[in-house]
Amino acid sequence: MGFADLSIAEIAADYGIPVEKVFSLCNQLGIAYKHQKTRLALEDAKAIIFQILSETHSKGTSDLMGDTEVI
């Protein structure tokens, strides 16, 4: 397994979310870490980023759907 050369802190900064949110995602996904400077394996970084993007996309979609009125 290769390394993505991304730390938890860098992912949080890149996606504008708190480090604690990335810690929470690591816990949900079973990804081991020690601190915010932990370098992540490529597959682990991809899994976290995918989760962040899917949550962001899901939020945006529900916001748009909430404003739609069916006649």
Side-chain angles (χ1 to χ4, degrees):
M1 186 182 291
F3 279 82
D5 200 29
L6 286 173
S7 69
I8 290 172
E10 289 169 331
I11 291 174
D14 287 348
Y15 291 92
I17 60 173
V19 170
E20 291 76 20
K21 174 65 177 171
V22 182
F23 287 155
S24 175
L25 292 172
C26 286
N27 292 333
Q28 288 174 25
L29 298 168
I31 297 169
Y33 64 92
K34 292 185 179 182
H35 45 70
Q36 65 184 14
K37 292 184 179 180
T38 298
R39 294 283 176 195
L40 298 168
L42 179 59
E43 292 302 315
D44 292 343
K46 286 170 45 177
I48 292 167
I49 292 168
F50 178 78
Q51 191 67 30
I52 292 167
L53 294 175
S54 66
E55 287 179 10
T56 303
H57 182 265
S58 172
K59 230 186 232 184
T61 303
S62 66
D63 289 347
L64 291 174
M65 303 267 301
D67 294 339
T68 304
E69 186 175 323
V70 178
I71 299 175

